[in-house]
Amino acid sequence: MTRAAARHLGDFDVAVVGSGCAGSVLARALAKGGCRVLLVERGHHPRFALGESSTPLAALALERLATRGMPDLRDLASYGRWRARLPHLRRGLKRGFTFYSHAAGEPFANGEANERRLLVAASPDDAVADAHWLRADVDAHLVAAAAAAGVRYVDGVRLDGCEESEGRLRLAGEDDAGRLIAGASFVVDASGPGGFLAKALQLPAGTPAQALDTGLLYAHVEGAGSFAAAASAAGARIQPGPYPDDRAAVHHLLAEGWMYVLPFDHGVASCGFVVEGDPTAHGLAPAADPEKAWHRLLARYPTLGAQLAGAAFVSGPRWVPRVQHRLGRAAGARWALVPHAFAFTDPLFSTGLAWSFLAVERLAGLLLGGEGSLADYDALLACEADQIERLVALAYAARGDFAAFAAAAFLYFATVSFEEVRQRLLEPPAAGWCWRGFLGAGEPELEHAFATATRRFREDPATFPAWVTDTIAPRNIVGLADPARRNLYPVDLEALVAAAPKLGLSDDEMRAALPRLRSPG
């Protein structure tokens, strides 16, 4: 029997593999800029996806990308605009970052000094707040928008080949109808860990800056209660903070690792246990029975168990045995990887969406206007991955000492808040904000601080918080590490005014610029 000829999808300027939020936004930006774009998806939308918690740096990147003829991205950049203009896309309010420290076998305990509780606001009110993204809704919307902009979208395609010939790349794969091929001058892999190009080009593994080993047990649940209410009922002191504790990215520090809870407005919450090392060492076997492992973990932490006692699974639980991955390269002559295809460390501190959209900005500028170079892109992603790995390793090392963990968090928040305010208030550099290294990558003082922080903590935990306070001082424009605040940090405009010289501004210039921090409605 003669084998049927492969269907030819056409020849394109760029093929984007993977239609998650980064891949779909990049494909649409390129099409809006005049490129012939193919967007290839292995699955079908709507579908479950992780990476659900946005941040102010992600919002800034989305607002800049919106100016490329994608106004809906600006609506996704703030909770208030999203609710008003895209109400059919489900989301949750994220006012900031909430952290609690737990002891196994004991109810959550906290006193007047908040020795086990930390709240750091990311916005002054709900209207300009960040959001948790229900990715099934958002990704389906972004794919449809890309197709409407002229992107050729195909799904259910299992790519298995990539060859270069006469200065072009030939992609090959199959769907339910048989074999297919497509040609492209450039390929972007946005398909995730161990994705298409990693296999097709046999890309070598990279060397991480820090050795981390965590697995993820995750689910969506409905009917979860309020942790703050459960903690108060158990006798913990939960005095009012800068926002309601649960309207945030909520982090629970545990002996086994940590847990996140991201509440959506429609009564569902995204929850996950990030487990460090071999789960059997913690008396868990999540690969064999994820639900049993889930309930065993909840039973060890009574207040978490009380919060989730009435919750039912909407999807999951599922177990990912290892979340870390890293490749040796992020770009070549005719290809590039978005961050989550190149490297991933851990969901702690919600770095994923911001890093992804910065990379989308870079690639759009590269492929449309020659901004930057692929060598720059490759080097910057490697440096940024190092910074994230060092930060997460520090947080894991310090999580058993809440004062030290809070200091580690201040290192992160001082870095990103300084950059957020700088991008809102100052003129962009010639190369654009997206080419400034994420999380201080490329800035010698910050790279040194991140590289040495874990060693500093291990050598002298007692003095580590003071070291962080001194280290972040040049960038601490939001009043972090102030004992008088008792671990409750609002958006403090007066602190910003007092810190104006750190940004090269006078008090009057800072006061005049403050309305821009709210991002025009």
Side-chain angles (χ1 to χ4, degrees):
M1 179 180 293
T2 303
R3 186 175 182 181
R7 302 184 337 266
H8 198 295
L9 297 178
D11 289 305
F12 300 87
D13 299 311
V14 181
V16 179
V17 182
S19 65
C21 55
S24 295
V25 170
L26 177 60
R28 184 168 33 145
L30 295 173
K32 290 281 188 179
C35 288
R36 296 167 299 157
V37 184
L38 173 68
L39 179 60
V40 184
E41 169 59 41
R42 184 180 180 90
H44 304 277
H45 290 279
R47 56 166 169 71
F48 186 94
L50 293 171
E52 302 154 302
S53 188
S54 190
T55 61
L57 283 176
L60 282 157
L62 285 168
E63 290 171 6
R64 293 190 296 265
L65 285 164
T67 65
R68 294 181 177 270
M70 300 180 286
D72 56 311
L73 300 187
R74 192 168 178 282
D75 297 334
L76 292 174
S78 82
Y79 179 81
R81 290 195 299 265
W82 186 331
R83 285 194 68 189
R85 300 171 188 173
L86 298 169
H88 58 292
L89 303 181
R90 291 169 290 181
R91 90 315 292 165
L93 173 62
K94 180 184 176 184
R95 286 290 308 278
F97 290 76
T98 298
F99 300 91
Y100 304 107
S101 177
H102 294 256
E106 300 177 8
F108 174 73
N110 187 62
E112 190 69 29
N114 279 315
E115 64 277 5
R116 288 190 168 188
R117 174 176 174 247
L118 169 66
L119 273 65
V120 181
S123 60
D125 56 48
D126 294 359
V128 296
D130 301 314
H132 302 310
W133 294 26
L134 190 73
R135 289 286 300 277
D137 283 14
V138 178
D139 289 5
H141 163 80
L142 293 173
V143 166
V151 172
R152 173 75 186 278
Y153 173 64
V154 293
D155 61 4
V157 175
R158 300 170 292 279
L159 291 175
D160 54 30
C162 180
E163 298 178 354
E164 184 172 359
S165 176
E166 298 180 352
R168 291 181 62 77
L169 296 173
R170 181 179 180 272
L171 306 181
E174 63 180 18
D175 61 9
D176 291 344
R179 297 294 296 175
L180 49 81
I181 58 173
S185 298
F186 197 90
V187 176
V188 177
D189 190 344
S191 62
F196 168 61
L197 284 182
K199 296 172 182 174
L201 301 181
Q202 297 183 327
L203 299 177
T207 302
Q210 298 288 325
L212 291 159
D213 181 15
T214 59
L216 173 63
L217 181 63
Y218 67 92
H220 276 187
V221 304
E222 61 181 352
S226 159
F227 180 81
S232 294
R237 180 82 171 100
I238 306 291
Q239 63 267 48
Y243 55 82
D245 284 43
D246 296 283
R247 304 299 273 171
V250 182
H251 306 69
H252 299 277
L253 307 182
L254 313 174
E256 299 82 359
W258 66 285
M259 183 189 190
Y260 63 82
V261 179
L262 311 176
F264 298 108
D265 291 351
H266 61 293
V268 169
S270 177
C271 305
F273 290 96
V274 188
V275 179
E276 185 177 24
D278 182 356
T280 62
H282 301 296
L284 304 170
D289 193 335
E291 188 167 344
K292 183 177 180 180
W294 183 278
H295 290 299
R296 179 165 290 182
L297 282 164
L298 287 180
R300 292 176 183 173
Y301 298 96
T303 313
L304 276 174
Q307 177 195 7
L308 295 168
F313 293 115
V314 175
S315 62
R318 300 182 180 92
W319 171 247
V320 178
R322 181 176 172 84
V323 300
Q324 286 78 32
H325 77 95
R326 181 161 176 175
L327 296 174
R329 296 180 65 192
R334 297 192 176 278
W335 60 271
L337 309 175
V338 301
H340 65 274
F342 166 63
F344 184 78
T345 300
D346 196 272
L348 192 63
F349 298 119
S350 305
T351 56
L353 288 179
W355 195 24
S356 290
F357 289 126
L358 281 175
V360 167
E361 279 193 272
R362 293 168 191 164
L363 288 171
L366 265 168
L367 296 171
L368 291 173
E371 300 172 9
S373 70
L374 287 167
D376 293 338
Y377 179 85
D378 180 59
L380 195 49
L381 257 62
C383 189
E384 291 165 338
D386 287 347
Q387 286 289 86
I388 295 170
E389 290 162 7
R390 290 163 175 154
L391 171 69
V392 172
L394 169 64
Y396 270 86
R399 74 180 188 276
D401 178 338
F402 195 63
F405 177 86
F410 296 152
L411 182 60
Y412 166 75
F413 289 117
T415 301
V416 295
S417 61
F418 186 85
E419 189 62 25
E420 291 154 14
V421 174
R422 177 159 58 180
Q423 291 187 23
R424 286 280 182 213
L425 300 189
L426 304 184
E427 291 297 318
W433 288 119
C434 68
W435 288 99
R436 292 191 65 89
F438 180 57
L439 216 57
E443 298 189 42
E445 297 87 356
L446 283 173
E447 287 191 5
H448 178 73
F450 278 61
T452 59
T454 299
R455 175 179 58 81
R456 292 267 186 171
F457 164 70
R458 293 191 188 282
E459 289 177 350
D460 193 350
T463 63
F464 177 72
W467 176 81
V468 169
T469 299
D470 292 341
T471 299
I472 66 174
R475 290 174 172 81
N476 185 6
I477 59 174
V478 292
L480 297 166
D482 179 357
R485 294 182 184 266
R486 296 179 302 169
N487 278 341
L488 302 176
Y489 291 92
V491 172
D492 187 338
L493 299 183
E494 289 305 313
L496 281 171
V497 171
K502 297 178 183 181
L503 288 159
L505 301 174
S506 68
D507 289 5
D508 289 343
E509 288 172 328
M510 175 64 85
R511 291 188 186 280
L514 286 178
R516 297 209 296 275
L517 292 177
R518 296 185 56 85
S519 177

